[in-house]
């Protein structure tokens, strides 16, 4: 049986070298490349057609979610396992929607990672129990929001084109929460929360939290 050709993609040199050492100790696994971003990963795919890619999420030049979308479109037989320290459900869902076969946290034990590579290579899929629990909670919350508050919220904020998620963030801003607290409450990364806040400021044409919440209350987006 041929070896499993694995490509490792991560912008941290230490992670690349550590995984390389661990995987090269296995008789049935061959590491064909170490890429530092999504663009490099695509170049390696063109040269080596790896069976499995261990893909980080947050990388410069091209992140793991975008790279997954592009690689799956061009190399559908290559299987991708998202391996990251991020616990954000949105990343999981985005990567899976583009065809990734698995999502594991970097804290996983090397033996379990190697076992996971073999499972995916034979056609299986992988989601850690922790991430599965987060996904279920997120979907249940989304269902509740859709069936109760979202129609009301969307009706209120149509004038400014705020999305339901942006209104969620706006509510948290009005409660005085910090970015990290908002991220924890909504199962988002702090960076994603910052992006939502930037969008809110732009759509409301305001320059800060106090002005944003004040305008939201004045216009009825938030209850006074």
């Amino acid at each position: 049986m041929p070896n499993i050709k694995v490509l490792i993609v991560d912008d941290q040199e230490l992670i690349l070298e550590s995984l390389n050492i661990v995987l090269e100790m296995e008789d049935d696994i061959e590491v064909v490349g170490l890429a530092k971003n999504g663009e490099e990963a695509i170049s390696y795919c063109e040269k080596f057609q790896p069976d499995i890619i261990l893909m980080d999420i947050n990388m410069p030049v091209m992140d793991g979610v975008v790279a997954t979308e592009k690689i799956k479109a061009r190399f559908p037989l290559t299987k991708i396992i998202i391996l990251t320290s991020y616990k954000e459900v949105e990343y999981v869902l985005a990567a899976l929607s583009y065809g990734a076969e698995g999502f594991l946290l970097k804290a996983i034990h090397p033996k379990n990672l190697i076992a996971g590579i073999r499972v995916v290579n034979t056609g299986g899929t992988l989601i850690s129990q922790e991430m599965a629990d987060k996904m279920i909670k997120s979907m249940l919350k989304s269902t509740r929001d859709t069936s109760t508050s979202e129609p009301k919220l969307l009706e209120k904020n149509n004038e400014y084109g705020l999305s339901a998620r942006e209104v969620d963030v706006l509510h948290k801003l009005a409660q005085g929460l910090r970015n990290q607290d908002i991220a924890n409450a909504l199962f988002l990364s702090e960076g994603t929360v910052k992006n939502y806040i930037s969008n809110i400021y732009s759509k409301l044409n305001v320059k800060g939290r106090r002005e944003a919440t004040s305008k939201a209350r004045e216009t009825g987006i938030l209850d006074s």
Side-chain angles (χ1 to χ4, degrees), residues 47-135:
K47 295 177 182 176
F48 301 106
Q49 289 85 48
D51 301 304
I52 301 286
I53 297 177
L54 298 180
M55 181 79 78
D56 189 21
I57 289 285
N58 189 23
M59 297 180 290
V61 183
M62 181 186 293
D63 67 41
V65 174
V66 174
T68 296
E69 179 183 16
K70 292 181 178 296
I71 289 171
K72 276 298 187 179
R74 293 182 56 188
F75 310 96
L77 297 181
T78 295
K79 299 177 174 66
I80 298 177
I81 300 172
I82 302 296
L83 186 63
T84 181
S85 56
Y86 282 77
K87 299 181 180 181
E88 186 175 319
V89 172
E90 289 187 353
Y91 286 145
V92 184
L93 297 177
L96 294 179
S97 72
Y98 293 136
E101 281 78 9
F103 192 105
L104 296 173
L105 295 175
K106 287 181 178 176
I108 190 173
H109 193 285
K111 289 184 178 179
N112 294 331
L113 173 61
I114 292 165
I117 289 172
R118 292 174 178 139
V119 167
V120 169
N121 189 56
T122 55
T125 56
L126 282 177
I127 296 288
S128 68
Q129 186 61 52
E130 181 181 2
M131 290 310 304
D133 290 343
K134 284 180 174 290
M135 290 172 65

Side-chain angles (χ1 to χ4, degrees), residues 135-167:
M135 290 172 65
I136 291 171
K137 289 177 182 176
S138 177
M139 287 187 285
L140 290 174
K141 182 178 184 301
S142 177
T143 301
R144 287 197 299 270
D145 290 348
T146 300
S147 62
T148 56
S149 60
E150 187 170 10
K152 186 178 179 182
L153 291 171
L154 289 175
E155 183 179 348
K156 283 185 175 182
N157 65 51
N158 273 344
E159 179 182 355
Y160 296 98
L162 295 175
S163 69
R165 182 59 96 182
E166 287 165 348
V167 175

